[in-house]
Amino acid sequence: MMDMDLATALKTAMRGFAQSVTIITTVDDEGQRYAMAATAVTPLSMDPPSMLICVNRSVSSHKILEGGANFSLNILSVEQNDVAHCCGGGARGEDRFAVGNWTNDENGIPFLADAQAVIRCHQRQRISYGSHDIFIGDVQTIQLAGEVDPLIYLDGAYRRIGPKL
Amino acid sequence: MMDMDLATALKTAMRGFAQSVTIITTVDDEGQRYAMAATAVTPLSMDPPSMLICVNRSVSSHKILEGGANFSLNILSVEQNDVAHCCGGGARGEDRFAVGNWTNDENGIPFLADAQAVIRCHQRQRISYGSHDIFIGDVQTIQLAGEVDPLIYLDGAYRRIGPKL
């Protein structure tokens, strides 16, 4: 047990929690596109195939998701370090799409054509808890790149996966 | 888009999703202990500090959690590869505690004394979705090891983190 308050301790514990980097994308009714790097992304159920994301209510894309918008999960490969930097706070609004091979799908939601995987979700449920909302989406389609070499975020830095044990 | 059904495509996409390995632990009213390796673990909110886990309703610890039990999240270090194997299906019931430096906390919930982090959660909410239940827990206490070198699961294998980019 460390001598620090609980939120600080949780942040410290989570800095040591390695995870693939995902860019959550959505679009509003006026066609304005949103992208944000996220680590609070997890598979929920295989029946139906569904994903879960946790989004802080203070971020700009939250109000779009709160309105019921669908979203896509772009799982980055190690080659897309620059996209992660851009969508992780390095740029704002439409400028986040300046880096990377972005295209819009038939619903106007941007996706990264060469992402390791793109998981398109139909929003089904929102649950509020504390500072965040949980959004559940049923998977509509999945686009897979052949190779598996994910970009990983750990301890404030982007990393490559290491050797098998 | 690959020519495979959606659940298979989601499993394939998730095999390429790297994540720290967490052992979820709990205890029932008779003192029977449960442990399972999980990757569907994510921070939820910092205010209050809280975590979220997704648990298949078919696993043995589900019925304990469904009854409202509290749980602990043991984030493994790369040294605890053997614990991951044991709790990831290699053993059943109490045999899962045969490997690793396990102790019980004051509530009888087992924790791994030398885990990279142990996050003790007070269960607050359960949400059912498809084959799984989402359990939300408020963080009660956190135990941190000094070093950050997590065990990572990717593409069916346990791995070490790689170099910074």
Side-chain angles (χ1 to χ4, degrees):
Chain A
M1 174 70 81
M2 309 279 285
D3 183 21
M4 53 172 88
D5 74 81
L6 209 54
T8 305
L10 183 57
K11 280 177 191 160
T12 304
M14 286 300 112
R15 279 179 67 90
F17 193 80
Q19 196 174 23
S20 281
V21 180
T22 303
I23 309 293
I24 302 173
T25 50
T26 191
V27 67
D28 69 14
D29 292 340
E30 278 76 49
Q32 177 66 49
R33 311 188 297 171
Y34 294 82
M36 64 170 163
T39 51
V41 171
T42 191
L44 169 52
S45 158
M46 288 295 161
D47 182 22
S50 51
M51 297 290 295
L52 175 157
I53 60 176
C54 302
V55 179
N56 194 310
R57 278 200 288 279
S58 71
V59 304
S60 60
S61 50
H62 176 270
K63 67 176 186 298
I64 313 307
L65 294 168
E66 190 179 26
N70 294 331
F71 54 89
S72 288
L73 305 175
N74 302 266
I75 301 175
L76 299 190
S77 80
V78 74
E79 306 299 333
Q80 289 155 343
N81 190 14
D82 53 348
V83 176
H85 274 286
C86 193
C87 293
R92 294 285 153 205
E94 188 66 23
D95 289 347
R96 292 200 167 173
F97 300 96
V99 174
N101 193 7
W102 290 102
T103 315
N104 295 343
D105 69 18
E106 64 276 21
N107 301 310
I109 298 177
F111 70 98
L112 202 56
D114 49 1
Q116 183 179 291
V118 179
I119 304 174
R120 293 192 179 86
C121 297
H122 178 75
Q123 190 186 141
R124 295 299 301 270
Q125 203 169 329
R126 176 172 65 90
I127 301 119
S128 289
Y129 198 81
S131 52
H132 283 60
D133 274 354
I134 303 163
F135 294 95
I136 295 174
D138 280 354
V139 177
Q140 301 296 292
T141 65
I142 293 181
Q143 167 190 313
L144 294 168
E147 209 173 335
V148 167
D149 192 5
L151 181 67
I152 299 175
Y153 191 68
L154 174 67
D155 210 10
Y158 294 107
R159 315 274 290 243
R160 182 184 290 275
I161 189 69
K164 290 184 185 177
L165 296 172
Chain B
M1 175 70 85
M2 310 277 286
D3 183 22
M4 53 172 89
D5 75 80
L6 208 54
T8 305
L10 184 57
K11 281 177 191 160
T12 304
M14 286 299 112
R15 279 179 66 90
F17 193 81
Q19 196 174 24
S20 281
V21 181
T22 304
I23 309 294
I24 302 173
T25 50
T26 190
V27 68
D28 70 14
D29 292 339
E30 278 76 48
Q32 177 66 50
R33 310 187 298 170
Y34 294 82
M36 64 171 163
T39 51
V41 170
T42 191
L44 168 51
S45 158
M46 288 295 161
D47 181 21
S50 52
M51 297 291 295
L52 174 158
I53 60 176
C54 303
V55 179
N56 194 309
R57 278 199 288 277
S58 71
V59 304
S60 61
S61 50
H62 177 270
K63 67 177 186 298
I64 312 309
L65 294 169
E66 190 180 26
N70 294 331
F71 53 90
S72 287
L73 306 175
N74 302 264
I75 301 175
L76 299 190
S77 80
V78 74
E79 306 299 332
Q80 290 154 343
N81 191 14
D82 54 347
V83 176
H85 274 286
C86 193
C87 293
R92 296 281 153 208
E94 188 65 22
D95 290 347
R96 292 200 167 174
F97 300 96
V99 173
N101 193 7
W102 291 103
T103 315
N104 296 344
D105 68 19
E106 64 276 19
N107 300 311
I109 298 177
F111 70 97
L112 202 56
D114 49 1
Q116 183 179 293
V118 179
I119 305 174
R120 295 192 178 86
C121 297
H122 177 73
Q123 190 185 142
R124 294 299 302 268
Q125 202 169 329
R126 176 172 65 89
I127 302 119
S128 289
Y129 198 82
S131 53
H132 283 59
D133 275 355
I134 303 162
F135 294 96
I136 295 172
D138 280 354
V139 177
Q140 300 297 290
T141 64
I142 293 181
Q143 168 190 311
L144 294 168
E147 210 173 334
V148 167
D149 192 5
L151 182 66
I152 298 175
Y153 191 67
L154 174 67
D155 210 10
Y158 294 107
R159 314 275 290 247
R160 181 184 290 274
I161 190 69
K164 291 185 186 178
L165 296 173

